[in-house]
């Protein structure tokens, strides 16, 4: 099996708003210049409460994390999938070991 893996240098992420499933009445991610991304929602607390019911600490941590622009890194997997990561980890050999 072979994959057409894009060259990371040819990937340009357009500045703008990206809505979940194109629903402009929903929350959205905004991509800004300088490789930054921010989640926008009328009620971030309510959004994260759905994902972390009754976990006040996790809800508040997510709200604080996404309330400000985050730097992102473009990562291309071995199968050619392009990922925008806002957190990443490397092992002692500089191999990428984790993404969020």
């Amino acid at each position: 099996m072979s994959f057409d893996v894009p060259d990371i240098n040819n990937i340009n992420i357009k500045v703008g708003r990206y809505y979940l499933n194109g629903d402009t009445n929903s929350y959205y991610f905004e991509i800004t210049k300088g490789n930054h991304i921010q989640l926008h929602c009328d009620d971030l607390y309510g959004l994260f409460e759905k994902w972390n019911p009754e976990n006040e600490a996790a809800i508040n941590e997510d709200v604080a994390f996404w309330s400000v622009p985050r730097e992102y890194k473009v990562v291309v997997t071995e199968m050619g999938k392009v990922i925008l990561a806002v957190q990443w980890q490397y092992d002692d050999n500089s191999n990428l070991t984790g993404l969020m």
Side-chain angles (χ1 to χ4, degrees):
M1 191 179 287
S2 64
F3 299 94
D4 184 19
V5 179
D7 180 354
I8 195 165
N9 295 316
N10 293 331
I11 297 173
N12 295 312
I13 308 300
K14 291 183 181 180
V15 170
R17 294 180 177 182
Y18 292 83
Y19 293 89
L20 181 66
N21 298 323
D23 180 2
T24 58
N25 295 314
S26 182
Y27 59 89
Y28 63 92
F29 289 95
E30 183 174 18
I31 303 290
T32 59
K33 290 183 180 180
N35 292 7
H36 285 85
I37 186 171
Q38 185 173 1
L39 176 61
H40 292 274
C41 179
D42 291 338
D43 181 11
L44 280 178
Y45 186 92
L47 177 66
F48 289 114
E49 189 175 37
K50 293 176 188 175
W51 297 343
N52 300 298
E54 300 180 26
N55 188 340
E56 192 77 21
I59 295 166
N60 289 329
E61 185 177 315
D62 287 341
V63 168
F65 185 86
W66 285 106
S67 293
V68 296
R70 312 299 308 182
E71 181 181 4
Y72 69 83
K73 172 183 280 210
V74 177
V75 178
V76 179
T77 69
E78 292 175 356
M79 297 186 333
K81 185 174 183 176
V82 177
I83 298 171
L84 296 186
V86 292
Q87 290 182 330
W88 47 88
Q89 296 173 309
Y90 292 93
D91 64 15
D92 294 337
N93 297 319
S94 299
N95 296 311
L96 188 63
T97 58
L99 296 172
M100 181 184 112

